């Protein structure tokens, strides 16, 4: 990523995590119509732009996303894709409980281009990183994980809630999660995929389970992050890559 | 119809798929021989072969897809042919408005849900599942799609259990035949 070379060391860590990450805030919650049209949703997409002169990340006034605003040539190709992805996700209030705004990715799946772009963005990031295993967390990780695994030549390992896998399963702690014994080998390199990171509990359980059998978890990858819930902190030293951040 | 009897006889990919499927006895209940398909997706080549076979068959045929509850392969196929993917899920998993269909399983009862408005009337659809036994799940999926006005072109499954009554009225395309 060419932005990295223009940043000071402490900023590089942030850049690694938040590059390609667009922040949007839902000004209002839409009533549920099924396919939000791009550019007419209530979300504002505010690109996170790294400028060498100001020395760090700033969220500027909303601007049209022209090539001139982008500090990195890498971002040109991705900002149309990410805004399409972002606007294809619908928010459902009070699901599964009152007070929760649920990020529903099924509308993204009804937009083949947005779905393809989502997978492409992950594949571009991981295809030359020698990843042997894509671990996907039940159930929406099973939608994004397998296509990524196929495209980068890795195997897909489902991680499930207990009692779904027959026999010979490992469990981890109070965040119950299972994986087949023998699905992975010690020394393999893995990424963990889910549609969304909230508190980070699920991803943390997946990481611990994989590490227990000797797998190196290189990174966690999610379509959406809910940064207020600070899930990133639960991942310890594992980096997190997300496409969309929902404040 | 079974793939081996329809144009794919002797296809070496089918052998690899067959060998990758694990059978686990007495899961989830005693007496059940569970066909475990997770090993299939752990084998990159076998997984790719399955997706390729379905994509070759459906590339130009269906404009809209529907997944099943066990969805390891569905999204990859939908992606490859540029079709929409609709997850069908157990009750309570899909947010927003849904339509539900009750059905009988090989071992119990269940209910399948689909988002209201996910599919438009007159669109062509495919149902994918990893395994077909009695066809109960597939029938429920077909009913959901037809209630929403879609036309179900075919059901595609990786594994079919020979000898079971497959009562689904639609054509089925099954990759592997097991006893």
């Amino acid at each position: 990523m060419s932005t990295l070379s223009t940043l000071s060391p402490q900023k590089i860590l942030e850049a690694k995590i938040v590059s390609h990450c667009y922040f949007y805030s839902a000004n209002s919650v839409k009533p549920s119509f099924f396919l939000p049209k791009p550019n007419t949703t209530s979300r504002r997409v505010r690109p996170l732009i790294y400028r060498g002169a100001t020395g760090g990340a700033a969220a500027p006034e909303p601007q049209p996303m022209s090539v001139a605003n982008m500090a990195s040539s890498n971002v040109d190709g991705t900002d149309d894709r990410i805004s399409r992805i972002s606007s294809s996700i619908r928010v459902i209030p009070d699901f599964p409980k009152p007070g929760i705004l649920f990020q529903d990715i099924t509308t993204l799946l009804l937009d083949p281009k947005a779905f393809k772009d989502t997978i492409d963005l992950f594949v571009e990031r991981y295809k030359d990183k020698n990843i042997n295993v894509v671990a996907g967390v039940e159930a929406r990780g099973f939608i994004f994980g397998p296509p990524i695994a196929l495209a980068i030549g890795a195997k897909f390992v489902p991680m499930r809630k207990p009692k779904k896998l027959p026999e010979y399963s490992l469990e981890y702690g109070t965040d119950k999660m299972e994986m087949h014994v023998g699905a992975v080998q010690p020394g393999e390199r893995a990424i963990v995929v889910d549609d969304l990171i909230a508190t980070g509990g699920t991803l943390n359980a997946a990481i611990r389970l994989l590490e227990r059998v000797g797998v190196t978890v290189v990174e966690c990858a999610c379509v959406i992050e809910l940064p207020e819930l600070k899930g990133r902190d639960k991942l310890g030293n594992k980096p997190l890559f997300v496409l969309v951040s929902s404040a | 119809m079974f793939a081996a009897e329809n144009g794919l006889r002797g296809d070496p990919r089918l052998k690899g798929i067959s060998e990758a499927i694990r059978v686990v006895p007495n899961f989830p209940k005693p007496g059940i021989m569970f066909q475990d398909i997770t090993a299939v997706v752990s084998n990159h080549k076998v997984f790719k072969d399955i997706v390729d076979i379905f994509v070759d068959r459906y590339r130009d045929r269906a404009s809209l897809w529907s997944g099943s509850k066990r969805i390891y392969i569905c999204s990859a196929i939908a992606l490859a042919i540029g079709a929409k993917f609709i997850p069908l899920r157990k009750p309570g998993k899909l947010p927003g408005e849904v339509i539900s269909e009750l059905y009988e399983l090989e071992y119990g009862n269940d209910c399948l849900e689909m988002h209201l408005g996910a599919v438009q009337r007159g669109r062509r659809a495919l149902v994918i599942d990893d395994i077909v036994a009695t066809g109960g799940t597939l029938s429920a999926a077909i009913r959901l799609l037809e209630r929403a006005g879609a036309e179900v072109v075919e059901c595609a499954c990786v594994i079919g259990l020979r000898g079971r009554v497959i009562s689904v009225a639609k054509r089925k395309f099954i990759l592997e035949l097991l006893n």
Side-chain angles (χ1 to χ4, degrees), chain A residues 197-211:
Chain A
I197 173 172
T199 62
T202 305
L203 282 178
N204 181 50
I207 293 167
R208 300 293 163 253
L209 192 49
L210 287 163
E211 291 191 325

Side-chain angles (χ1 to χ4, degrees), chain B residues 64-98:
Chain B
L64 182 150
W65 283 71
S66 165
S68 166
K69 293 189 302 182
R70 293 169 288 250
I71 49 175
Y72 304 133
I73 60 172
C74 299
S75 63
I77 299 172
L79 194 66
I81 68 168
K84 302 178 195 214
F85 171 61
I86 302 177
L88 307 181
R89 302 211 56 192
K90 277 181 169 356
K93 300 288 189 181
L94 292 173
E97 293 181 288
V98 296

Side-chain angles (χ1 to χ4, degrees), chain A residues 45 47 49 51 60-70 79-80:
Chain A
V45 179
I49 301 170
R51 300 185 196 279
E61 307 305 320
Q63 305 176 32
M65 274 176 274
S66 66
V67 172
N69 291 337
M70 294 299 128
D79 41 287
D80 285 344

Side-chain angles (χ1 to χ4, degrees), chain B residues 27-30 32-35 69-70 104-110 131 133-134 164:
Chain B
F27 181 88
K29 294 182 194 175
I32 308 269
M33 300 292 284
F34 186 79
Q35 316 286 338
K69 293 189 302 182
R70 293 169 288 250
E104 284 186 22
L105 275 181
E106 189 178 7
Y107 39 89
N109 288 312
D110 212 332
I131 182 170
T134 57
R164 312 306 288 261

Side-chain angles (χ1 to χ4, degrees), chain B residues 1-9 14 132 159-163 166 172-178:
Chain B
M1 68 185 80
F2 298 106
E5 296 154 13
N6 287 277
L8 287 180
R9 184 185 295 281
L14 291 186
V132 58
I159 305 170
L161 299 185
R162 191 200 296 272
I166 300 183
K172 294 163 292 299
F173 180 70
I174 300 169
L175 280 193
E176 176 60 27
L177 195 54
L178 294 177

Side-chain angles (χ1 to χ4, degrees), chain A residues 177-206:
Chain A
M177 184 165 293
E178 289 188 345
M179 178 178 76
H180 272 304
V181 168
V184 293
Q185 308 298 324
E188 287 187 318
R189 290 162 52 81
I191 58 170
V192 184
V193 172
D194 205 353
D195 66 324
L196 179 146
I197 173 172
T199 62
T202 305
L203 282 178
N204 181 50

Side-chain angles (χ1 to χ4, degrees), chain A residues 32 34 90 92 95 102 104 106 109-110 112 115-116 119 139-140 142-143 146-147 149-150 153-156 158 160 163-167 180, chain B residues 22 24-25 27 34 36 38 41-42 44 47-48 51 71-72 75-76 79 82-87 89 92-96 115-118:
Chain A
S32 55
F34 210 76
R90 71 170 173 160
I92 307 238
F95 183 89
F102 186 83
D104 182 21
T106 61
L109 304 175
L110 288 178
F115 185 30
K116 182 180 187 307
I119 301 299
R140 289 180 284 271
F142 295 173
I143 297 176
L150 273 180
K155 57 185 163 184
F156 175 69
R160 309 203 65 163
K163 303 292 186 298
K164 298 286 185 59
L165 294 180
E167 295 194 1
H180 272 304
Chain B
R22 228 165 52 112
V24 181
F27 181 88
F34 186 79
D36 184 20
T38 56
V41 294
S42 294
H44 180 260
F47 186 15
K48 185 174 184 313
V51 173
I71 49 175
Y72 304 133
S75 63
L79 194 66
K84 302 178 195 214
F85 171 61
I86 302 177
R89 302 211 56 192
K93 300 288 189 181
L94 292 173
H115 269 132
L116 203 58

Side-chain angles (χ1 to χ4, degrees), chain A residues 105-189:
Chain A
I105 46 95
T106 61
T107 39
L108 188 163
L109 304 175
L110 288 178
D111 181 344
K113 180 168 184 338
F115 185 30
K116 182 180 187 307
D117 289 343
T118 305
I119 301 299
D120 285 349
L121 284 164
F122 289 123
V123 169
E124 285 163 18
R125 183 175 179 82
Y126 297 116
K127 65 178 190 256
D128 298 319
K129 300 278 194 323
N130 231 352
I131 305 289
N132 311 109
V133 173
V134 173
V137 181
E138 180 178 27
R140 289 180 284 271
F142 295 173
I143 297 176
F144 297 98
I148 297 169
L150 273 180
I152 68 174
K155 57 185 163 184
F156 175 69
V157 173
M159 309 198 70
R160 309 203 65 163
K161 311 238 170 57
K163 303 292 186 298
K164 298 286 185 59
L165 294 180
E167 295 194 1
Y168 310 119
S169 304
L170 298 176
E171 270 188 31
Y172 178 73
T174 54
D175 295 323
K176 289 260 162 75
M177 184 165 293
E178 289 188 345
M179 178 178 76
H180 272 304
V181 168
V184 293
Q185 308 298 324
E188 287 187 318
R189 290 162 52 81

